[in-house]
Amino acid sequence: VQLQASGGGLVQPGGSLRLSCEVSGFTMDYGSIGWFRQAPGKEREGVSCTRRGGMPYYADSVKGRFTISRDNAKNAVYLQMNSLKPEDTAVYYCAAARARLISSAMRHPRNYDYWGQGTLVTVSS
């Protein structure tokens, strides 16, 4: 299983970025795909998660600004990030869980089995 995250970069506050996660060797319909982030000196936190047949999960800090979507034909998951803030600066990772996680489990890194390499998002003027 491989996950390839891309799309990070430097953006000004209020700007937008779209992250992509290309998934191979894993059938997304059978599990869950999540986005996490880790800022320097902080723990890795769940940002958003999607699974077939369930409501997506969003961290309170990104609700209304971030949107997760998926393209099963391309085996890819995206994270559209709008109205970015300096506190969104972090390395963003996508991860896959073999299970269809319930909402309360989606935000915990320990519930995911496979991880991508991360892409850096820097929000700064």
Side-chain angles (χ1 to χ4, degrees), residues 14-60:
S16 298
L17 279 176
R18 187 192 192 214
L19 304 184
S20 300
C21 178
E22 297 181 3
V23 183
S24 59
F26 182 85
T27 304
M28 296 198 306
D29 277 355
Y30 297 158
S32 309
I33 304 292
W35 283 100
F36 291 79
R37 66 186 180 187
Q38 189 165 18
K42 294 188 177 181
E43 293 187 352
R44 191 168 297 189
E45 64 169 341
V47 175
S48 184
C49 177
T50 178
R51 69 169 177 87
R52 183 183 178 187
M55 293 293 290
Y57 161 82
Y58 294 99
D60 288 342

Short mmCIF file of all heavy atoms in Angstrom, two decimals, residues 14-60:
data_model
loop_
_atom_site.label_atom_id
_atom_site.label_comp_id
_atom_site.label_asym_id
_atom_site.label_seq_id
_atom_site.Cartn_x
_atom_site.Cartn_y
_atom_site.Cartn_z
N GLY A 14 -5.55 33.65 4.30
CA GLY A 14 -6.75 33.88 3.51
C GLY A 14 -6.74 33.16 2.18
O GLY A 14 -7.77 33.10 1.50
N GLY A 15 -5.61 32.59 1.83
CA GLY A 15 -5.50 31.90 0.56
C GLY A 15 -6.00 30.47 0.60
O GLY A 15 -6.53 30.01 1.63
N SER A 16 -5.83 29.76 -0.52
CA SER A 16 -6.33 28.40 -0.65
C SER A 16 -5.26 27.48 -1.21
O SER A 16 -4.36 27.91 -1.93
CB SER A 16 -7.54 28.37 -1.60
OG SER A 16 -8.62 29.15 -1.11
N LEU A 17 -5.39 26.22 -0.84
CA LEU A 17 -4.56 25.15 -1.41
C LEU A 17 -5.42 23.91 -1.53
O LEU A 17 -6.37 23.73 -0.76
CB LEU A 17 -3.36 24.83 -0.51
CG LEU A 17 -2.12 25.72 -0.57
CD1 LEU A 17 -1.12 25.28 0.48
CD2 LEU A 17 -1.50 25.72 -1.94
N ARG A 18 -5.05 23.06 -2.46
CA ARG A 18 -5.73 21.77 -2.60
C ARG A 18 -4.69 20.67 -2.52
O ARG A 18 -3.79 20.58 -3.34
CB ARG A 18 -6.45 21.68 -3.94
CG ARG A 18 -7.31 20.43 -4.10
CD ARG A 18 -7.76 20.28 -5.53
NE ARG A 18 -8.79 19.28 -5.70
CZ ARG A 18 -8.89 18.52 -6.78
NH1 ARG A 18 -8.03 18.66 -7.77
NH2 ARG A 18 -9.87 17.63 -6.87
N LEU A 19 -4.83 19.84 -1.51
CA LEU A 19 -3.94 18.71 -1.33
C LEU A 19 -4.53 17.48 -2.01
O LEU A 19 -5.75 17.29 -2.03
CB LEU A 19 -3.72 18.41 0.14
CG LEU A 19 -3.18 19.56 1.01
CD1 LEU A 19 -2.93 19.05 2.42
CD2 LEU A 19 -1.94 20.16 0.41
N SER A 20 -3.65 16.66 -2.56
CA SER A 20 -4.06 15.41 -3.20
C SER A 20 -3.37 14.25 -2.53
O SER A 20 -2.22 14.34 -2.10
CB SER A 20 -3.69 15.42 -4.68
OG SER A 20 -4.33 16.49 -5.36
N CYS A 21 -4.08 13.14 -2.45
CA CYS A 21 -3.51 11.90 -1.92
C CYS A 21 -3.83 10.80 -2.92
O CYS A 21 -4.99 10.43 -3.09
CB CYS A 21 -4.10 11.57 -0.55
SG CYS A 21 -3.49 10.01 0.15
N GLU A 22 -2.80 10.31 -3.58
CA GLU A 22 -2.97 9.20 -4.52
C GLU A 22 -2.72 7.89 -3.77
O GLU A 22 -1.69 7.73 -3.12
CB GLU A 22 -2.01 9.34 -5.69
CG GLU A 22 -2.27 10.59 -6.52
CD GLU A 22 -1.31 10.71 -7.69
OE1 GLU A 22 -0.50 9.79 -7.88
OE2 GLU A 22 -1.36 11.73 -8.40
N VAL A 23 -3.67 6.98 -3.88
CA VAL A 23 -3.63 5.73 -3.12
C VAL A 23 -3.45 4.57 -4.08
O VAL A 23 -4.15 4.47 -5.08
CB VAL A 23 -4.92 5.55 -2.31
CG1 VAL A 23 -4.85 4.30 -1.45
CG2 VAL A 23 -5.18 6.78 -1.43
N SER A 24 -2.52 3.69 -3.76
CA SER A 24 -2.32 2.49 -4.57
C SER A 24 -2.21 1.28 -3.66
O SER A 24 -1.74 1.37 -2.52
CB SER A 24 -1.08 2.61 -5.45
OG SER A 24 0.07 2.83 -4.66
N GLY A 25 -2.68 0.13 -4.18
CA GLY A 25 -2.62 -1.10 -3.40
C GLY A 25 -3.65 -1.18 -2.30
O GLY A 25 -3.55 -2.03 -1.42
N PHE A 26 -4.66 -0.33 -2.37
CA PHE A 26 -5.66 -0.26 -1.30
C PHE A 26 -6.99 0.13 -1.93
O PHE A 26 -7.05 1.08 -2.71
CB PHE A 26 -5.24 0.79 -0.28
CG PHE A 26 -6.17 0.95 0.90
CD1 PHE A 26 -6.05 0.12 2.00
CD2 PHE A 26 -7.16 1.91 0.91
CE1 PHE A 26 -6.90 0.26 3.09
CE2 PHE A 26 -8.02 2.07 1.98
CZ PHE A 26 -7.87 1.23 3.08
N THR A 27 -8.03 -0.60 -1.59
CA THR A 27 -9.37 -0.30 -2.11
C THR A 27 -10.06 0.65 -1.13
O THR A 27 -10.45 0.25 -0.03
CB THR A 27 -10.19 -1.57 -2.29
OG1 THR A 27 -9.47 -2.47 -3.14
CG2 THR A 27 -11.54 -1.25 -2.91
N MET A 28 -10.24 1.87 -1.57
CA MET A 28 -10.76 2.91 -0.67
C MET A 28 -12.15 2.58 -0.17
O MET A 28 -12.51 2.93 0.95
CB MET A 28 -10.75 4.28 -1.35
CG MET A 28 -9.36 4.78 -1.69
SD MET A 28 -9.32 6.56 -2.02
CE MET A 28 -10.57 6.71 -3.28
N ASP A 29 -12.96 1.91 -0.98
CA ASP A 29 -14.33 1.62 -0.58
C ASP A 29 -14.39 0.72 0.66
O ASP A 29 -15.40 0.71 1.37
CB ASP A 29 -15.10 0.96 -1.73
CG ASP A 29 -15.64 1.98 -2.70
OD1 ASP A 29 -15.50 3.19 -2.44
OD2 ASP A 29 -16.19 1.56 -3.73
N TYR A 30 -13.36 -0.04 0.92
CA TYR A 30 -13.38 -0.98 2.03
C TYR A 30 -12.86 -0.38 3.33
O TYR A 30 -12.90 -1.03 4.38
CB TYR A 30 -12.56 -2.22 1.70
CG TYR A 30 -13.09 -3.02 0.53
CD1 TYR A 30 -12.25 -3.89 -0.18
CD2 TYR A 30 -14.41 -2.90 0.11
CE1 TYR A 30 -12.73 -4.61 -1.25
CE2 TYR A 30 -14.89 -3.62 -0.95
CZ TYR A 30 -14.05 -4.48 -1.64
OH TYR A 30 -14.52 -5.21 -2.70
N GLY A 31 -12.33 0.84 3.26
CA GLY A 31 -11.73 1.41 4.45
C GLY A 31 -11.99 2.89 4.58
O GLY A 31 -13.00 3.39 4.09
N SER A 32 -11.07 3.58 5.22
CA SER A 32 -11.19 5.01 5.48
C SER A 32 -9.88 5.70 5.08
O SER A 32 -8.80 5.12 5.21
CB SER A 32 -11.45 5.27 6.96
OG SER A 32 -12.53 4.50 7.45
N ILE A 33 -10.01 6.92 4.60
CA ILE A 33 -8.85 7.73 4.26
C ILE A 33 -8.92 9.02 5.05
O ILE A 33 -9.96 9.68 5.06
CB ILE A 33 -8.80 8.08 2.76
CG1 ILE A 33 -8.84 6.80 1.91
CG2 ILE A 33 -7.55 8.90 2.45
CD1 ILE A 33 -7.61 5.94 2.00
N GLY A 34 -7.84 9.34 5.69
CA GLY A 34 -7.84 10.54 6.53
C GLY A 34 -6.68 11.46 6.22
O GLY A 34 -5.65 11.04 5.67
N TRP A 35 -6.88 12.72 6.56
CA TRP A 35 -5.82 13.72 6.50
C TRP A 35 -5.45 14.12 7.92
O TRP A 35 -6.33 14.39 8.75
CB TRP A 35 -6.27 14.96 5.73
CG TRP A 35 -6.31 14.80 4.25
CD1 TRP A 35 -7.40 14.55 3.47
CD2 TRP A 35 -5.20 14.89 3.36
NE1 TRP A 35 -7.04 14.48 2.15
CE2 TRP A 35 -5.69 14.68 2.06
CE3 TRP A 35 -3.83 15.13 3.53
CZ2 TRP A 35 -4.86 14.69 0.93
CZ3 TRP A 35 -3.01 15.15 2.42
CH2 TRP A 35 -3.53 14.93 1.14
N PHE A 36 -4.16 14.16 8.17
CA PHE A 36 -3.64 14.57 9.47
C PHE A 36 -2.63 15.68 9.25
O PHE A 36 -2.13 15.88 8.13
CB PHE A 36 -2.97 13.39 10.18
CG PHE A 36 -3.94 12.33 10.61
CD1 PHE A 36 -4.43 11.41 9.70
CD2 PHE A 36 -4.37 12.26 11.92
CE1 PHE A 36 -5.35 10.44 10.10
CE2 PHE A 36 -5.27 11.29 12.32
CZ PHE A 36 -5.76 10.38 11.41
N ARG A 37 -2.30 16.38 10.32
CA ARG A 37 -1.25 17.38 10.22
C ARG A 37 -0.44 17.40 11.51
O ARG A 37 -0.94 17.03 12.57
CB ARG A 37 -1.81 18.77 9.92
CG ARG A 37 -2.67 19.37 11.03
CD ARG A 37 -3.30 20.67 10.57
NE ARG A 37 -4.13 21.29 11.59
CZ ARG A 37 -4.89 22.37 11.38
NH1 ARG A 37 -4.92 22.94 10.17
NH2 ARG A 37 -5.60 22.88 12.38
N GLN A 38 0.79 17.82 11.36
CA GLN A 38 1.67 17.92 12.52
C GLN A 38 2.53 19.17 12.39
O GLN A 38 3.30 19.30 11.45
CB GLN A 38 2.55 16.68 12.64
CG GLN A 38 3.33 16.63 13.94
CD GLN A 38 3.91 15.25 14.21
OE1 GLN A 38 4.02 14.41 13.31
NE2 GLN A 38 4.27 15.00 15.46
N ALA A 39 2.34 20.06 13.34
CA ALA A 39 3.13 21.28 13.39
C ALA A 39 4.35 21.04 14.29
O ALA A 39 4.33 20.13 15.13
CB ALA A 39 2.28 22.42 13.94
N PRO A 40 5.40 21.82 14.12
CA PRO A 40 6.61 21.64 14.95
C PRO A 40 6.28 21.69 16.43
O PRO A 40 5.60 22.60 16.90
CB PRO A 40 7.50 22.81 14.53
CG PRO A 40 7.07 23.13 13.15
CD PRO A 40 5.59 22.89 13.12
N GLY A 41 6.75 20.68 17.16
CA GLY A 41 6.55 20.66 18.60
C GLY A 41 5.17 20.23 19.04
O GLY A 41 4.87 20.25 20.24
N LYS A 42 4.32 19.84 18.09
CA LYS A 42 2.95 19.44 18.44
C LYS A 42 2.69 18.01 18.01
O LYS A 42 3.39 17.45 17.18
CB LYS A 42 1.94 20.38 17.79
CG LYS A 42 2.00 21.80 18.32
CD LYS A 42 0.84 22.62 17.77
CE LYS A 42 0.85 24.03 18.36
NZ LYS A 42 -0.30 24.84 17.85
N GLU A 43 1.65 17.43 18.60
CA GLU A 43 1.26 16.08 18.24
C GLU A 43 0.53 16.08 16.90
O GLU A 43 -0.05 17.09 16.48
CB GLU A 43 0.36 15.49 19.33
CG GLU A 43 1.05 15.25 20.66
CD GLU A 43 0.16 14.52 21.64
OE1 GLU A 43 -1.03 14.33 21.34
OE2 GLU A 43 0.66 14.14 22.72
N ARG A 44 0.56 14.94 16.27
CA ARG A 44 -0.18 14.78 15.03
C ARG A 44 -1.68 14.81 15.33
O ARG A 44 -2.14 14.14 16.25
CB ARG A 44 0.21 13.49 14.35
CG ARG A 44 -0.30 13.33 12.94
CD ARG A 44 0.36 12.16 12.24
NE ARG A 44 1.81 12.36 12.11
CZ ARG A 44 2.60 11.56 11.39
NH1 ARG A 44 2.08 10.55 10.73
NH2 ARG A 44 3.90 11.80 11.33
N GLU A 45 -2.43 15.59 14.55
CA GLU A 45 -3.86 15.70 14.80
C GLU A 45 -4.67 15.38 13.55
O GLU A 45 -4.24 15.64 12.43
CB GLU A 45 -4.22 17.12 15.29
CG GLU A 45 -3.97 18.21 14.28
CD GLU A 45 -4.59 19.54 14.68
OE1 GLU A 45 -5.49 19.56 15.54
OE2 GLU A 45 -4.16 20.57 14.12
N GLY A 46 -5.83 14.81 13.77
CA GLY A 46 -6.73 14.50 12.67
C GLY A 46 -7.38 15.76 12.14
O GLY A 46 -7.87 16.57 12.92
N VAL A 47 -7.37 15.92 10.84
CA VAL A 47 -7.96 17.09 10.19
C VAL A 47 -9.30 16.73 9.55
O VAL A 47 -10.31 17.41 9.77
CB VAL A 47 -7.00 17.66 9.13
CG1 VAL A 47 -7.67 18.81 8.37
CG2 VAL A 47 -5.70 18.11 9.76
N SER A 48 -9.30 15.66 8.77
CA SER A 48 -10.52 15.26 8.08
C SER A 48 -10.40 13.81 7.66
O SER A 48 -9.29 13.29 7.49
CB SER A 48 -10.75 16.15 6.86
OG SER A 48 -11.97 15.84 6.22
N CYS A 49 -11.55 13.17 7.51
CA CYS A 49 -11.55 11.76 7.13
C CYS A 49 -12.80 11.45 6.32
O CYS A 49 -13.87 12.06 6.55
CB CYS A 49 -11.51 10.87 8.37
SG CYS A 49 -11.60 9.10 8.03
N THR A 50 -12.66 10.51 5.40
CA THR A 50 -13.80 10.11 4.60
C THR A 50 -13.85 8.59 4.51
O THR A 50 -12.83 7.91 4.51
CB THR A 50 -13.72 10.69 3.18
OG1 THR A 50 -14.85 10.23 2.41
CG2 THR A 50 -12.45 10.25 2.46
N ARG A 51 -15.05 8.06 4.46
CA ARG A 51 -15.26 6.64 4.20
C ARG A 51 -16.57 6.49 3.46
O ARG A 51 -17.47 7.32 3.57
CB ARG A 51 -15.28 5.82 5.49
CG ARG A 51 -16.50 6.06 6.36
CD ARG A 51 -16.56 5.00 7.45
NE ARG A 51 -17.66 5.19 8.37
CZ ARG A 51 -18.89 4.71 8.16
NH1 ARG A 51 -19.16 4.03 7.07
NH2 ARG A 51 -19.83 4.91 9.06
N ARG A 52 -16.67 5.42 2.71
CA ARG A 52 -17.87 5.19 1.93
C ARG A 52 -19.07 4.97 2.86
O ARG A 52 -18.97 4.22 3.84
CB ARG A 52 -17.70 3.96 1.03
CG ARG A 52 -18.91 3.71 0.14
CD ARG A 52 -18.72 2.44 -0.66
NE ARG A 52 -19.89 2.17 -1.47
CZ ARG A 52 -20.06 1.06 -2.18
NH1 ARG A 52 -19.11 0.15 -2.19
NH2 ARG A 52 -21.15 0.88 -2.88
N GLY A 53 -20.15 5.66 2.58
CA GLY A 53 -21.38 5.47 3.34
C GLY A 53 -21.43 6.19 4.67
O GLY A 53 -22.36 5.96 5.45
N GLY A 54 -20.45 7.03 4.94
CA GLY A 54 -20.44 7.73 6.20
C GLY A 54 -20.25 9.23 6.03
O GLY A 54 -19.77 9.68 4.99
N MET A 55 -20.60 9.97 7.06
CA MET A 55 -20.38 11.41 7.02
C MET A 55 -18.90 11.68 7.20
O MET A 55 -18.23 11.03 8.00
CB MET A 55 -21.18 12.09 8.13
CG MET A 55 -22.68 12.02 7.94
SD MET A 55 -23.20 12.98 6.51
CE MET A 55 -22.89 14.63 7.12
N PRO A 56 -18.35 12.66 6.50
CA PRO A 56 -16.94 12.98 6.70
C PRO A 56 -16.71 13.60 8.07
O PRO A 56 -17.61 14.22 8.65
CB PRO A 56 -16.64 13.98 5.58
CG PRO A 56 -17.96 14.58 5.24
CD PRO A 56 -18.97 13.51 5.46
N TYR A 57 -15.51 13.41 8.55
CA TYR A 57 -15.11 14.03 9.81
C TYR A 57 -14.27 15.26 9.53
O TYR A 57 -13.44 15.26 8.61
CB TYR A 57 -14.29 13.04 10.64
CG TYR A 57 -13.47 13.71 11.72
CD1 TYR A 57 -14.06 14.05 12.93
CD2 TYR A 57 -12.14 14.03 11.51
CE1 TYR A 57 -13.33 14.70 13.91
CE2 TYR A 57 -11.39 14.68 12.48
CZ TYR A 57 -12.00 15.01 13.68
OH TYR A 57 -11.27 15.65 14.64
N TYR A 58 -14.51 16.32 10.31
CA TYR A 58 -13.66 17.51 10.27
C TYR A 58 -13.31 17.92 11.69
O TYR A 58 -14.19 17.93 12.58
CB TYR A 58 -14.39 18.68 9.58
CG TYR A 58 -14.67 18.47 8.11
CD1 TYR A 58 -15.92 18.06 7.67
CD2 TYR A 58 -13.66 18.66 7.17
CE1 TYR A 58 -16.17 17.87 6.32
CE2 TYR A 58 -13.91 18.47 5.82
CZ TYR A 58 -15.17 18.07 5.41
OH TYR A 58 -15.41 17.86 4.07
N ALA A 59 -12.08 18.29 11.89
CA ALA A 59 -11.71 18.88 13.17
C ALA A 59 -12.42 20.22 13.33
O ALA A 59 -12.68 20.92 12.33
CB ALA A 59 -10.20 19.09 13.23
N ASP A 60 -12.74 20.58 14.54
CA ASP A 60 -13.46 21.83 14.79
C ASP A 60 -12.70 23.03 14.21
O ASP A 60 -13.30 23.99 13.72
CB ASP A 60 -13.66 22.04 16.29
CG ASP A 60 -14.70 21.10 16.86
OD1 ASP A 60 -15.50 20.53 16.08
OD2 ASP A 60 -14.73 20.92 18.08
#
